[in-house]
């Protein structure tokens, strides 16, 4: 929805999630263009259930047409979200 440069087809996030779970490899989904697409949302949700997805990152400028840019970081657990919150204080914050 947000940009004319969106990929033509999504990656096999479910397959990658299964491999990451098997190998114990962290998995970050770049969902920059997918937030407005129900099929991609369902695929990411399925991947989180059947494999390993540590974080899903969505772009605010591509999905919400926010002119300055930014991101929404989602995770399956509150603990994972808290880790990101502690590591990245935000653009306008002066605290570590």
């Amino acid at each position: 929805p947000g940009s004319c440069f969106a990929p033509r087809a999504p990656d096999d996030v479910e397959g990658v999630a299964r491999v990451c779970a098997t190998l114990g490899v962290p998995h970050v989904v770049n969902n920059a263009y997918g937030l407005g697409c129900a099929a991609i949302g369902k695929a990411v949700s399925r991947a989180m259930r059947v494999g390993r997805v540590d974080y899903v990152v969505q772009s605010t400028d591509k999905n919400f047409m926010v002119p300055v840019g930014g991101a929404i970081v989602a995770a399956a657990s509150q603990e994972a979200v808290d880790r990101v919150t502690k590591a990245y204080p935000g653009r306008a914050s002066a605290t570590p």
Side-chain angles (χ1 to χ4, degrees):
S3 172
C4 62
F5 298 109
R8 299 276 183 229
D11 294 329
D12 179 11
V13 292
E14 186 178 332
V16 173
R18 288 178 191 273
V19 170
C20 290
T22 299
L23 299 177
V25 176
H27 183 196
V28 176
V29 174
N30 176 0
N31 196 31
Y33 292 92
L35 193 57
C37 177
I40 292 174
K42 288 177 185 176
V44 171
S45 292
R46 220 174 19 257
M48 293 175 102
R49 286 192 306 274
V50 303
R52 178 173 182 171
V53 176
D54 297 277
Y55 296 98
V56 181
V57 182
Q58 280 97 197
S59 171
T60 57
D61 62 321
K62 293 170 190 74
N63 289 290
F64 299 117
M65 304 301 280
V66 175
V68 212
I72 298 168
V73 179
S77 74
Q78 185 62 49
E79 180 184 327
V81 173
D82 291 343
R83 280 195 303 269
V84 170
T85 302
K86 289 176 185 172
Y88 181 69
R91 293 175 69 156
S93 178
T95 59

